[in-house]
Amino acid sequence: MWAHPATFPRLVLRDGRPLPLTATRLLLRRLAGSGNTDPGMTAPECVDRTALTEVCEPGSPAAFVEALFERWRLMGMPPAAGWMMTALGVLGDDDTVRLLVPLIDRWPGEDGHHRAVRGLDVLAAIGTEEALRALHGLSRGSRFTALRRRAGERMVEVAAGLGLSAEQLADRLVPDLGLDPDGSTVIDYGARRFVVGFDERLRPFVVDDAGRTRAVPPQPGPRGDGPDARAEYRRFAALRREARAVASGLLPRWEREMVEGRRWSLAEFHRCLAAHPLLGHAVRRLVWEVREEGPDGRERVVTFRPGPGGTGVDVYGRPVTPGDHAVVRLPHPLALGEELTVWRARFAGGGISQPFPQVERPVHGLRPGEERSSRLRRLEGVTVSTGALLSLVRRGWVRGEPSEDGG
């Protein structure tokens, strides 16, 4: 048997003793008996994951199953042992997620679409925040359209199981990157300290003790800096990479949701956006809109810009204090009406840059007489290049499925 327990890292119990080989064989038989079906469906039936987690050292089951998985890969991933994917979903952890995601994104190009889809099920079965972030990332960024679509469907399924929409789940999965509640952190060299801030695109920068702003902290020096200085320098580099990954997926989504008119409850807005240590830096550089029912039963609509601590002011600087049942929207400039000019002046006067065009976004409205027409005759006959049309994908447009002649 290729999966002989004696040839793999032993499962370690919490008291430091290895799990007996007889128990390991039983575990392997149960995993193998799960067959080649959906990992998310079979995991609860083949192994009691909770019981195994309680008796084993943290990380031990994942290390065991990852070694098993690597052996399966070296054998050419025979379909007869496809239960390996189920085993990953049962015993895997965040380290397993980091091992698996690059493979999932590569497999469709190696004639392994079915295996990649099973990999998505493994991520859903592991179910940690790291796993669900990876699933969401594949739904947005995979090179393969079919895999991207299936990952999106899996996100919807997982979110529905939690009583959420896919967008609500995605909001809850944004990491805080270890930042303090005020959205900052300190890079501490010992003799020198640098306070980390973020710009409108969530790019980090540092401010030194003299108040000078730098894009990155300086290289630690051989003298004066403490023994942890190099580790702190690497921490900033990791923070920059992680913030870039968050921004690349989130800011285009917010822009799309601005166009689509998505709404958040006031509690969701504060918890997931305004009070989020990282996202708050971008939230405070946008205009938001709150809607609620007034005492007279009519809907009250107020635009505002959030400030630190969740407070907000309207376009004239007056405090905005919505009720608990209000809903919040990121308004398109077309919805700002006459306030748009005032908001533009406030942002320009304060030198406030936005994470994507909102108050300075070019808008195009209907001309008099076009409101009731089904045709825009002034645009008929206009010729555009194919390249210009396809470039709309980079601006948030979604290309439909090819139809006749691939169009």
Side-chain angles (χ1 to χ4, degrees):
M1 179 182 178
W2 68 272
H4 194 283
T7 62
F8 294 97
R10 297 288 294 274
L11 285 156
V12 180
L13 300 174
R14 287 189 178 268
D15 62 7
R17 294 180 297 118
L19 186 72
L21 289 177
T22 52
T24 307
R25 289 192 189 96
L26 176 61
L27 173 64
L28 285 170
R29 279 199 297 271
R30 290 197 173 186
L31 290 170
S34 67
N36 298 327
T37 50
D38 177 359
M41 296 297 293
T42 61
E45 300 169 9
C46 62
V47 173
D48 188 336
R49 187 206 314 240
T50 303
L52 193 65
T53 301
E54 289 175 352
V55 300
C56 287
E57 275 288 325
S60 176
F64 174 78
V65 78
E66 287 163 19
L68 206 63
F69 176 68
E70 289 297 345
R71 177 76 60 84
W72 180 61
R73 287 182 63 206
L74 289 173
M75 293 173 56
M77 295 177 286
W83 56 269
M84 265 309 315
M85 299 298 283
T86 298
L88 287 175
V90 175
L91 304 181
D93 62 8
D94 287 348
D95 286 337
T96 312
V97 171
R98 288 185 278 272
L99 166 72
L100 192 58
V101 168
L103 299 173
I104 293 174
D105 204 26
R106 195 174 73 207
W107 279 335
E110 300 172 352
D111 199 26
H113 173 76
H114 178 68
R115 187 163 56 247
V117 168
R118 295 205 64 211
L120 300 178
D121 295 334
V122 170
L123 297 178
I126 292 174
T128 62
E129 286 192 3
E130 183 80 15
L132 297 182
R133 281 190 202 107
L135 185 61
H136 181 255
L138 289 166
S139 75
R140 297 297 182 189
S142 175
R143 298 168 293 155
F144 302 100
T145 303
L147 182 65
R148 205 164 53 239
R149 184 187 306 114
R150 179 54 189 151
E153 293 169 353
R154 204 68 178 93
M155 274 291 290
V156 170
E157 294 164 7
V158 171
L162 298 171
L164 303 170
S165 68
E167 292 78 13
Q168 287 174 313
L169 178 57
D171 286 343
R172 286 158 172 75
L173 293 176
V174 179
D176 62 17
L177 306 188
L179 300 174
D180 293 336
D182 67 355
S184 69
T185 188
V186 174
I187 301 299
D188 192 349
Y189 282 9
R192 296 182 290 171
R193 290 162 55 89
F194 305 90
V195 178
V196 177
F198 293 83
D199 69 9
E200 73 281 357
R201 297 285 302 174
L202 302 182
R203 292 172 295 216
F205 57 86
V206 297
V207 180
D208 64 19
D209 292 333
R212 292 185 296 263
T213 300
R214 301 168 177 261
V216 296
Q219 287 274 2
R223 300 178 184 176
D225 291 328
D228 297 330
R230 291 205 173 276
E232 287 286 274
Y233 182 81
R234 290 193 295 271
R235 182 166 74 90
F236 180 84
L239 179 67
R240 184 167 55 174
R241 287 194 302 271
E242 292 166 355
R244 184 188 303 124
V246 170
S248 66
L250 183 117
L251 297 182
R253 175 161 69 87
W254 278 4
E255 188 171 11
R256 184 174 64 253
E257 289 170 345
M258 176 185 72
V259 174
E260 295 172 351
R262 180 190 169 187
R263 298 184 178 191
W264 289 261
S265 71
L266 186 65
E268 285 179 321
F269 173 74
H270 282 304
R271 181 177 67 251
C272 299
L273 303 184
H276 191 281
L278 177 63
L279 303 189
H281 293 284
V283 168
R284 292 190 288 272
R285 291 175 164 97
L286 292 164
V287 177
W288 298 81
E289 176 188 271
V290 64
R291 291 172 173 260
E292 61 182 330
E293 185 176 308
D296 58 358
R298 299 175 63 181
E299 187 177 54
R300 173 173 168 264
V301 181
V302 179
T303 60
F304 71 102
R305 180 174 167 240
T311 60
V313 294
D314 68 11
V315 69
Y316 301 108
R318 298 172 300 204
V320 175
T321 54
D324 293 341
H325 300 293
V327 294
V328 179
R329 189 177 71 152
L330 185 57
H332 190 281
L334 278 173
L336 293 175
E338 296 178 356
E339 289 187 352
L340 177 59
T341 302
V342 186
W343 277 120
R344 280 177 176 168
R346 287 197 169 276
F347 276 72
I352 303 167
S353 299
Q354 295 197 288
F356 49 82
Q358 185 194 29
V359 297
E360 294 294 344
R361 191 182 193 88
V363 295
H364 305 278
L366 295 173
R367 294 177 181 175
E370 292 179 337
E371 295 87 347
R372 298 183 180 181
S373 175
S374 60
R375 298 172 65 175
L376 291 178
R377 297 184 183 277
R378 60 188 165 92
L379 298 180
E380 292 180 1
V382 174
T383 301
V384 297
S385 68
T386 301
L389 191 63
L390 296 181
S391 70
L392 291 173
V393 172
R394 296 196 300 270
R395 304 184 64 179
W397 290 67
V398 178
R399 190 175 180 183
E401 290 298 312
S403 53
E404 295 180 10
D405 300 321

